[in-house]
Amino acid sequence: IKSAVMHVPTQGCRSTVHQSGIVWGGVPVPVVQKYCYLGLWFQSDLSWEVHFQHVLQKVQNVTRCYMPLWKSRHVSVEVKRIVLLSCVRPIIEYASEVWVPNANQRQKLNVCQLKIIKISMRLLSYKPCSEALLAEWGLKPMHMWLHERVMMFYAKLRLMPAERLPKKVFDACWTHQGRSVCLPWQRYVNGLLCKYGVTLGADVSDYDACMSVIKSRVKSVWHEDVTLTTPLEKTTLKRYVDWVNPVIVRKLSLKSCSPYLKLSPCYGVELLLRVRLSCLPVHAHTVGFQQPDIDRRRS
């Protein structure tokens, strides 16, 4: 039942294997285009679309199961945040050290997290800036969590004893037609290390030290996205930074949500978040109203 043959042909070629010719217990072993191994879906064309769709479906199912929790006004944001990180994020992070999502898939994973936050704060009908909303919840974009796991896995392989098989594969020199080549996963990791400015020199010989360096760099990049990425089209983010003050934003934690969101659940928390994100529709003509009595008393 769990046995199958999957033929991975060379690039640009189609597989001509339709029957494996292998018989076990009188039953021929089938030839498949996709195969699940330890919860990870492999494909004969070396893409990850099947695995991504499988992960996305599981996330949507779990999100629906916890919908009464997300919509409840009697549950604090801190509790909802814990459920999000402990019940939804692990599904996305599973085997993320190995499979590489493309830009479209990363965007869909980010949307899954943002949708839960908007449902929890009754913001589905508004369009707040995603960076500012994540900053309030003490979170970062989902793809940054995945990048962090990949770089940590890279550090673990780098520090692994030389006699281990994964270490031998990691240090092996791969060649094609007599020339050394860089594998796609290696190019992906090198790009992440360059993007986040992570340098694991010879002096960083402890895994805990590597984790500390990676987490601090990812956190620094996330803070820069919140404080520096303020183009004109993202007016809510600009208003957010002006309101909260960049100095306070740099001190935002990835371990907890904003202090005012930790208060006892109440209807005012949702309204306050909309005010902080400047996503309330306020008519411009209301600015012209004044209180003449106050001006008369001052005079």
Side-chain angles (χ1 to χ4, degrees):
I1 297 176
K2 294 185 178 181
S3 300
V5 173
M6 188 180 72
H7 178 217
V8 181
T10 57
Q11 187 176 7
C13 299
R14 291 186 177 182
S15 175
T16 57
V17 179
H18 302 290
Q19 294 182 355
S20 63
I22 303 174
V23 179
W24 181 263
V27 179
V29 178
V31 175
V32 297
Q33 302 298 320
K34 58 183 180 180
Y35 188 79
C36 182
Y37 179 71
L38 298 179
L40 187 66
W41 284 91
F42 294 91
Q43 295 177 243
S44 59
D45 59 356
L46 300 181
S47 66
W48 298 103
E49 185 63 30
V50 172
H51 180 73
F52 170 75
Q53 294 298 334
H54 179 71
V55 170
L56 190 63
Q57 185 62 44
K58 290 181 66 176
V59 170
Q60 292 173 349
N61 293 339
V62 173
T63 301
R64 284 193 293 267
C65 289
Y66 285 102
M67 194 60 69
L69 176 73
W70 309 133
K71 292 184 176 181
S72 176
R73 282 192 170 103
H74 303 287
V75 180
S76 65
V77 172
E78 196 169 15
V79 173
K80 294 179 181 180
R81 182 181 183 276
I82 293 174
V83 175
L84 171 62
L85 296 180
S86 59
C87 298
V88 178
R89 195 186 75 184
I91 299 176
I92 300 177
E93 285 188 341
Y94 180 77
S96 61
E97 300 87 350
V98 178
W99 74 282
V100 181
N102 56 38
N104 185 35
Q105 293 169 349
R106 289 198 303 267
Q107 179 62 23
K108 290 182 179 179
L109 296 178
N110 291 333
V111 168
C112 290
Q113 180 176 247
L114 286 171
K115 183 178 179 181
I116 293 175
I117 297 176
K118 289 183 178 181
I119 292 175
S120 301
M121 302 306 301
R122 309 278 175 163
L123 291 174
L124 280 178
S125 58
Y126 301 91
K127 295 182 180 180
C129 181
S130 58
E131 287 87 350
L133 192 58
L134 291 173
E136 290 286 355
W137 272 55
L139 298 172
K140 53 191 174 187
M142 186 58 67
H143 72 272
M144 284 192 172
W145 294 106
L146 304 183
H147 292 170
E148 189 175 293
R149 294 293 175 269
V150 173
M151 290 186 287
M152 287 182 179
F153 183 62
Y154 169 83
K156 182 179 293 186
L157 289 174
R158 181 174 170 272
L159 299 174
M160 191 174 290
E163 62 272 11
R164 296 284 302 276
L165 179 59
K167 177 65 172 179
K168 294 180 180 180
V169 176
F170 178 74
D171 293 336
C173 180
W174 299 88
T175 60
H176 177 68
Q177 296 180 352
R179 297 180 298 176
S180 60
V181 296
C182 184
L183 299 182
W185 186 84
Q186 294 174 337
R187 291 196 299 269
Y188 176 59
V189 176
N190 292 334
L192 293 181
L193 296 175
C194 181
K195 174 182 177 181
Y196 292 98
V198 177
T199 304
L200 303 177
D203 54 332
V204 185
S205 58
D206 183 62
Y207 180 66
D208 292 335
C210 293
M211 288 180 58
S212 178
V213 171
I214 293 171
K215 287 184 176 180
S216 63
R217 288 305 308 158
V218 173
K219 182 179 180 180
S220 176
V221 172
W222 178 80
H223 283 170
E224 292 175 0
D225 290 343
V226 176
T227 56
L228 301 180
T229 310
T230 55
L232 296 178
E233 60 268 18
K234 290 188 175 180
T235 55
T236 54
L237 179 58
K238 187 177 186 306
R239 294 172 184 170
Y240 173 84
V241 174
D242 294 340
W243 179 287
V244 181
N245 191 307
V247 177
I248 300 177
V249 173
R250 283 195 292 268
K251 295 180 181 179
L252 287 174
S253 173
L254 294 178
K255 297 182 180 179
S256 61
C257 53
S258 295
Y260 78 97
L261 292 177
K262 299 180 183 179
L263 303 176
S264 58
C266 61
Y267 291 90
V269 172
E270 301 169 6
L271 178 61
L272 181 58
L273 183 61
R274 295 171 193 170
V275 173
R276 286 173 67 93
L277 296 179
S278 302
C279 58
L280 278 177
V282 180
H283 296 289
H285 70 270
T286 58
V287 182
F289 287 94
Q290 297 180 354
Q291 298 181 5
D293 295 337
I294 297 178
D295 297 336
R296 191 179 303 112
R297 285 195 299 268
R298 287 178 179 176
S299 59

